[in-house]
Amino acid sequence: MTFTSTTAVDLAAGIAAGDFSAREVTTAFLDRIAETDGELNAFLAVDTPGALATADAVDAARAAGEPLGPLAGVPVAVKDVITTEGLATTCGSRILEGWVPPYDATVTANLRRAGAVIIGKTNMDEFAMGSSTENSAFGPARNPWDTNLIPGGSSGGSAVAVAARQSPLSIGTDTGGSIRQPAAMTGVVGVKPTYGGVSRYGLVALASSLDQAGPFATTVADAAALHAVMAGHDPKDSTSIDAPVPPVVAAAANGDVTGMRIGVVKQLTGEGFQREVREHFQKSLDLLAAAGAEIVEVSCPHFEYALAAYYLILPSECSSNLAKFDAIRYGLRVGDDGERSVEQVMAMTREAGFGPEVKRRIMLGTYALSSGYYDAYYGQAQKVRTLIARDFAQAFEVADVLATPTAPTTAFPIGEKVDDPLSMYLQDIATIPANLAGVPGMSLPVGLDDKGLPVGLQFMAPAMADDRLYTTGAALEAAVGWEARP
Ligand code: GLN
């Protein structure tokens, strides 16, 4: 059996049935990482001893007849912005170099409880700012479809880990598109759950009102299995929703879209999207219609302002969240020679520890929040946010799920957009509205462009109706019959 081409659901079932051991599975993926990661750079840390210890514990529990968790023995790679007790967490930044978190994020704890094997920490744009993983302080991750290309970002390492089958599952975070866009660039399934559906406790904050962790997987059913394990109410996160987890696993197993109304967002289908992206989007709609769905057009007029509002709200929140990296409490400290003042040491540490994109956003956010400008920028952006949420509410009156292309283009060459922040920001034109409104979104692969690179399609659903993403996702996955591999 080739473990590295088996779904997570089948791996879990095989381990539970005793067809093979968790150690065999874990070893196969560790070997695959060792073989491929020199080139791909998807991992910032591989926890070989920890992974093998967990695998052995699963095998021992099974031998003793103890009940196993739903992901017992299945490797999961975790984005390096989520804390893992005893395992370094860098957020892709020099400023956290050497910091080993003394606690697990709730998501990490949930994985451990489910028996999952945490195989390592994945590469990312520094503090999750970016769409290409080129802003990592530890070098870019590379797209397994063509290693000259970016894998998307900011959760690029997590996307690559799954696309290159270095891990059957991984976790990313999505503040403006950082799960869905890299999923699209690498031909895998990626889901941003409803805001508040997955605990943010232990997720190092970029923009607290937008951040959400979610799954990457090769199939919709695998994504659902991981989603179900990650999600759930957490008293340690004040924005966590106290309600049952939407029935995502059942929805993924069903995939019946008969009579479902799928709304095509008129504002997100036009000229700004690469030709093949538009073509595959249209083909996918035809497949959904053939499967019994009703395709309707919806208008979301304020989506046009989403990017502008996001780039005020996000820098504002991140300039405040990143103030805690002060050279005293975590990681790096530069220039502390006993002579310099605390302020000088802080300034030198932040100058040396943060990369250019992080500095750009701290400056933008500090400006937007400064007195005299607060209402004009931050206040105005919050009003736009309300209008976008209203657009969604109106659209969901006539549609059960919305559909758009995930990203305007397929993967682009490393280096192409590094000097052009605006064109990088535009990668998230279709994904940012969901974050601003707190609604869930999924990207799944639906075709290849003329160069043979994956194209993604996005579904969005009302808050806490994440299961609808999995229903339409499963239907489209079956209709597309995606089999392409890098
Ligand atoms: N690319 C977007 C940004 O740079 C989204 C980032 C994210 O979702 N973490 O802000």
Side-chain angles (χ1 to χ4, degrees):
M1 171 152 207
T2 319
F3 298 127
T4 51
S5 57
T6 305
T7 65
V9 169
D10 286 347
L11 289 172
I15 291 166
D19 298 342
F20 39 80
S21 68
R23 180 173 261 266
E24 287 174 273
V25 170
T26 302
T27 305
F29 284 99
L30 286 169
D31 289 349
R32 175 107 184 118
I33 295 171
E35 237 166 72
T36 54
D37 211 50
E39 188 171 20
L40 297 174
N41 201 27
F43 283 85
L44 295 179
V46 180
D47 186 15
T48 303
L52 291 175
T54 307
D56 289 345
V58 167
D59 290 333
R62 194 193 163 271
E66 290 164 21
L68 298 180
L71 290 180
V74 179
V76 181
V78 177
K79 187 178 183 181
D80 211 23
V81 71
I82 293 171
T83 62
T84 38
E85 186 180 346
L87 185 59
T89 297
T90 67
C91 297
S93 182
R94 293 272 171 219
I95 210 154
L96 275 172
E97 231 180 331
W99 182 62
V100 178
Y103 72 106
D104 271 339
T106 296
V107 162
T108 308
N110 289 350
L111 287 179
R112 295 197 204 276
R113 194 169 326 110
V117 171
I118 295 172
I119 200 161
K121 304 298 291 288
T122 58
N123 200 358
M124 54 181 284
D125 284 302
E126 186 174 9
F127 286 105
M129 301 179 200
S131 300
S132 68
T133 319
E134 290 166 293
N135 294 334
S136 168
F138 308 103
R142 291 175 179 271
N143 195 318
W145 293 81
D146 176 345
T147 52
N148 295 312
L149 307 181
I150 59 96
S154 64
S155 313
S158 294
V160 172
V162 167
R165 297 299 297 184
Q166 298 172 309
S167 177
L169 297 171
S170 69
I171 285 177
T173 61
D174 189 313
T175 303
S178 280
I179 293 174
R180 291 161 287 161
Q181 185 260 9
M185 300 289 125
T186 58
V188 300
V189 179
V191 179
K192 182 201 91 74
T194 297
Y195 182 78
V198 172
S199 171
R200 288 186 299 107
Y201 177 76
L203 192 187
V204 180
L206 167 55
S208 314
S209 76
L210 301 162
D211 298 341
Q212 193 60 197
F216 283 99
T218 35
T219 66
V220 171
D222 275 7
L226 181 53
H227 188 144
V229 159
M230 296 171 69
H233 179 240
D234 179 14
K236 289 182 190 151
D237 170 2
S238 62
T239 58
S240 168
I241 295 174
D242 192 359
V245 177
V248 293
V249 172
N254 167 352
D256 182 2
V257 290
T258 313
M260 256 179 115
R261 298 164 306 168
I262 298 179
V264 175
V265 182
K266 177 166 110 183
Q267 285 79 4
L268 289 173
T269 47
E271 282 305 305
F273 294 82
Q274 185 180 319
R275 176 181 52 78
E276 300 101 307
V277 170
R278 282 184 273 134
E279 285 170 4
H280 283 295
F281 180 67
Q282 189 51 51
K283 255 190 233 163
S284 302
L285 295 177
D286 295 344
L287 290 171
L288 288 162
E294 187 192 335
I295 311 295
V296 297
E297 190 184 79
V298 299
S299 180
C300 296
H302 301 96
F303 280 20
E304 193 187 327
Y305 309 108
L307 198 70
Y310 174 88
Y311 277 100
L312 287 165
I313 293 167
L314 178 136
S316 299
E317 292 188 23
C318 94
S319 70
S320 160
N321 277 327
L322 268 54
K324 63 178 165 285
F325 300 109
D326 57 3
I328 309 299
R329 283 175 284 194
Y330 312 94
L332 191 71
R333 185 180 299 175
V334 175
D336 183 13
D337 60 359
E339 304 288 314
R340 292 194 177 89
S341 70
V342 175
E343 286 77 10
Q344 281 172 318
V345 173
M346 280 184 194
M348 286 176 76
T349 302
R350 287 167 69 87
E351 166 61 27
F354 288 137
E357 183 63 26
V358 173
K359 287 176 187 158
R360 177 181 296 128
R361 296 201 195 183
I362 291 173
M363 286 189 282
L364 282 171
T366 306
Y367 181 75
L369 289 175
S370 57
S371 89
Y373 295 106
Y374 186 96
D375 288 336
Y377 293 120
Y378 185 74
Q380 195 74 1
Q382 290 290 20
K383 286 181 191 155
V384 171
R385 191 171 186 174
T386 302
L387 294 172
I388 287 167
R390 279 190 203 150
D391 279 0
F392 271 112
Q394 274 170 13
F396 286 130
E397 278 173 19
V398 296
D400 303 302
V401 167
L402 304 183
T404 73
T406 308
T409 66
T410 55
F412 47 88
I414 291 177
E416 188 183 272
K417 296 188 198 291
V418 276
D419 297 324
D420 186 355
L422 191 58
S423 90
M424 193 72 93
Y425 295 174
L426 282 165
Q427 278 291 310
D428 294 316
I429 187 110
T431 47
I432 279 174
N435 299 81
L436 289 171
V439 305
M442 167 189 281
S443 177
L444 75 163
V446 293
L448 298 171
D449 74 0
D450 293 352
K451 294 191 200 122
L453 300 171
V455 172
L457 176 142
Q458 170 180 237
F459 289 122
M460 294 179 283
M464 289 312 269
D466 305 44
D467 49 306
R468 290 187 202 169
L469 304 174
Y470 288 92
T471 304
T472 48
L476 185 55
E477 177 180 62
V480 167
W482 178 264
E483 276 180 1
R485 295 282 178 267

